[in-house]
Amino acid sequence: VNAAYLKFLQSDAAQKIVSAEGYVALVDNAQAYSPDSSLSGTINISGSTSLQPLMIKLAAKFQELQSGVSVTVAGGGSGQGYKNAEAGVSEFGMISESFNSEKAPDCVSYEVAKDGIAVIVNKDNTQDSISLITLKNIYDAEAGENAVITWSKAQG
């Protein structure tokens, strides 16, 4: 059942869902998924709450194609995804970061999608360039005295 779900994630049906949900699909020229009418069982997926809505839609499509399979998707965060996959609590752990094998040494990874992130600035803002360090400090909750909370600090 798990191998079939992985194959489905690489299929054109899954890649269309990935793209429709605003993510960047990773499989070029994806092939059609061929359902197996004899397939049955349960798949448990847990982890990243940011990946959870996409995985719920993918799971629903898989269940539509494989009516004998039940897929449960739960959140809990990326840390929980690592923990549950490593412990065998979930067949798949969702993480919203590059895979760190030290966090789950008995696991391997498959990237479902890439998330596009953009920084936008109001057109009336006079800031015309910004360093990566300053940009990081705008969003870094632990930047302390380096935190950027006003544009005048970003310019200075």
Side-chain angles (χ1 to χ4, degrees):
V1 175
N2 297 338
Y5 193 71
L6 270 175
K7 191 168 187 159
F8 164 74
L9 290 175
Q10 298 167 20
S11 73
D12 64 339
Q15 295 303 300
K16 285 177 185 172
I17 293 169
V18 166
S19 293
E21 292 301 306
Y23 293 88
V24 178
L26 299 176
V27 180
D28 292 330
N29 303 316
Q31 302 298 308
Y33 176 75
S34 297
D36 177 351
S37 61
S38 68
L39 199 61
S40 65
T42 302
I43 299 172
N44 293 301
I45 303 170
S46 61
S48 169
T49 54
S50 60
L51 188 54
Q52 188 177 4
L54 172 62
M55 196 58 73
I56 287 171
K57 290 189 179 196
L58 291 167
K61 182 64 176 179
F62 185 73
Q63 289 178 132
E64 178 186 313
L65 297 169
Q66 294 293 169
S67 60
V69 178
S70 173
V71 183
T72 303
V73 181
S78 292
Q80 196 68 46
Y82 277 113
K83 181 181 174 184
N84 287 354
E86 178 71 12
V89 172
S90 295
E91 286 78 19
F92 296 92
M94 300 178 293
I95 59 172
S96 54
E97 60 186 60
S98 294
F99 178 64
N100 180 343
S101 62
E102 292 178 8
K103 293 181 180 181
D106 294 326
C107 296
V108 296
S109 70
Y110 170 74
E111 286 187 345
V112 174
K114 290 281 188 186
D115 194 3
I117 299 173
V119 176
I120 61 170
V121 178
N122 186 292
K123 64 182 178 180
D124 294 334
N125 191 313
T126 59
Q127 183 76 19
D128 62 1
S129 66
I130 191 166
S131 72
L132 288 177
I133 268 292
T134 301
L135 185 60
K136 177 186 179 296
N137 289 339
I138 290 172
Y139 295 98
D140 188 350
E142 299 174 7
E145 66 182 40
N146 294 321
V148 175
I149 54 174
T150 66
W151 281 111
S152 61
K153 179 152 184 182
Q155 294 170 359

